[in-house]
Amino acid sequence: MLLGLAGNSCIGHILRCFRAKTHSSFTSPINSFQFSRSIYCATMASAAAGETRTEPVYFSDTYLFSFDKASVLKAEKLEGDSNDYAVVTDQTIMHPQGGGQPSDQGEITTSVDGTDVVFQVKQVSKAKDSQEIKHIGCFSSGSAELLPVGQTVKMTINEDMRRLHARLHSAGHLLDTALNRLNASDLIPSKGYHFADGPYVEYIGNVANEERDKLMASMNEVLSDLVKENIATQITVGDSGERIVSIAGLPCPCGGTHVKSTAEIGPMKVTRMKKNKKNMKMSYSLESS
Ligand SMILES: [Zn+2]
């Protein structure tokens, strides 16, 4: 399953992460490097010829669960035998799967001449280097003919799912911050998997077998502190237009949805540290998820 998810076109779009140079705790060997994390960032992509563009409204508000200002750009049946369609709109509040974060789910609805149109969104996708976000799903009422170009629609997302995904993603970033604060590792963040069925972050490097329990215990103390300190998340735009998300003061280019501050993640801990080929795989869990 993990391999399948890792094969998503958004995962593997490697962007450079970096540590803030001004933070006083960022002086360890792991602070001076540039590390990569598998993330996607829609702000970096340019539209291909003939392709439509979807404004990622979820960039500016994790907590916008409903939105009625989107217009249809395309509503096309997918190839194959299923009854699935792809609906593309000029704006969306639905986060596509990518960057280690799962897809949102929800509904796209409207009413045309007294007929209700309800499109159940099962998956949201965005191809690498594309600015077009596709809502994949099926109609439980109405049809694609009732979604002509320019039709205004309302979107509603699964709120519980969005909140959980934001907490899981921010928690993954918080592992990096904890390592930084500990000043005790040369692990280089490489890949994040922020799904509820076993979230982890992989780091390039190694921790000796006999050191792992000690590092996990120290990290869990620091993670507890970081959550209690309730540090606000900051989102800015970098020099090249990339979206920079700072969780507990540690900036990283990222296209995910994140919590407002570390307290919202709630109690979390590293549950396992294991060698995985050349990487150290650090599994983590949230107390309530
Ligand atoms: Zn991220």
Side-chain angles (χ1 to χ4, degrees):
M1 183 179 180
L2 299 190
L3 286 174
L5 291 164
N8 178 275
S9 57
C10 296
I11 298 177
H13 183 159
I14 308 295
L15 292 177
R16 182 170 56 83
C17 282
F18 55 91
R19 310 282 188 179
K21 290 174 182 156
T22 52
H23 196 294
S24 60
S25 70
F26 295 165
T27 54
S28 75
I30 60 169
N31 301 326
S32 56
F33 61 42
Q34 295 171 332
F35 61 88
S36 63
R37 179 190 272 275
S38 296
I39 62 173
Y40 93 98
C41 185
T43 54
M44 298 286 285
S46 55
E51 190 182 65
T52 56
R53 181 182 187 283
T54 307
E55 184 72 29
V57 179
Y58 56 84
F59 268 8
S60 53
D61 191 350
T62 293
Y63 306 91
L64 193 57
F65 306 116
S66 176
F67 183 67
D68 61 5
K69 295 184 175 59
S71 297
V72 173
L73 298 177
K74 290 181 194 173
E76 300 172 337
K77 189 170 184 309
L78 296 183
E79 290 180 8
D81 295 333
S82 78
N83 277 323
D84 284 353
Y85 284 75
V87 174
V88 179
T89 49
D90 62 340
Q91 308 172 67
T92 188
I93 55 171
M94 299 194 192
H95 182 277
Q97 182 166 316
Q101 181 173 327
S103 166
D104 277 319
Q105 293 180 348
E107 281 184 352
I108 295 177
T109 59
T110 190
S111 182
V112 180
D113 296 332
T115 302
D116 288 337
V117 180
V118 181
F119 183 69
Q120 305 286 346
V121 180
K122 298 186 283 191
Q123 182 80 13
V124 186
S125 68
K126 177 180 169 300
K128 181 182 177 185
D129 295 332
S130 169
Q131 294 195 1
E132 184 178 275
I133 297 174
K134 292 180 178 175
H135 308 89
I136 310 294
C138 55
F139 290 90
S140 58
S141 176
S143 64
E145 287 71 40
L146 297 174
L147 293 183
V149 174
Q151 176 69 42
T152 302
V153 292
K154 180 180 180 183
M155 298 177 166
T156 311
I157 61 171
N158 181 322
E159 179 178 337
D160 290 345
M161 184 183 279
R162 161 60 63 83
R163 287 183 182 276
L164 176 59
H165 292 170
R167 288 172 59 220
L168 284 164
H169 196 150
S170 298
H173 282 230
L174 205 62
L175 296 184
D176 304 345
T177 317
L179 282 169
N180 235 336
R181 188 175 276 196
L182 279 168
N183 210 15
S185 169
D186 59 357
L187 296 174
I188 301 171
S190 169
K191 186 171 90 173
Y193 177 82
H194 312 298
F195 286 62
D197 65 350
Y200 64 84
V201 176
E202 282 195 3
Y203 294 86
I204 299 166
N206 192 23
V207 177
N209 227 339
E210 60 275 17
E211 295 291 326
R212 290 176 196 171
D213 284 349
K214 190 176 157 196
L215 179 58
M216 280 174 59
S218 301
M219 283 189 72
N220 286 337
E221 277 182 32
V222 172
L223 288 168
S224 176
D225 291 344
L226 287 166
V227 168
K228 281 181 196 151
E229 287 167 25
N230 197 19
I231 303 164
T233 297
Q234 293 182 324
I235 297 179
T236 55
V237 178
D239 294 342
S240 306
E242 71 272 36
R243 180 176 184 255
I244 308 286
V245 176
S246 296
I247 300 294
L250 183 63
C252 177
C254 179
T257 56
H258 287 276
V259 298
K260 284 190 185 116
S261 66
T262 54
E264 205 176 310
I265 296 170
M268 65 168 289
K269 61 183 176 184
V270 181
T271 54
R272 196 175 186 203
M273 204 177 288
K274 179 177 166 246
K275 191 79 177 153
N276 187 21
K277 297 180 182 170
K278 287 185 177 176
N279 293 347
M280 281 302 301
K281 180 177 174 182
M282 212 174 282
S283 300
Y284 64 95
S285 69
L286 307 183
E287 191 170 274
S288 56
S289 63

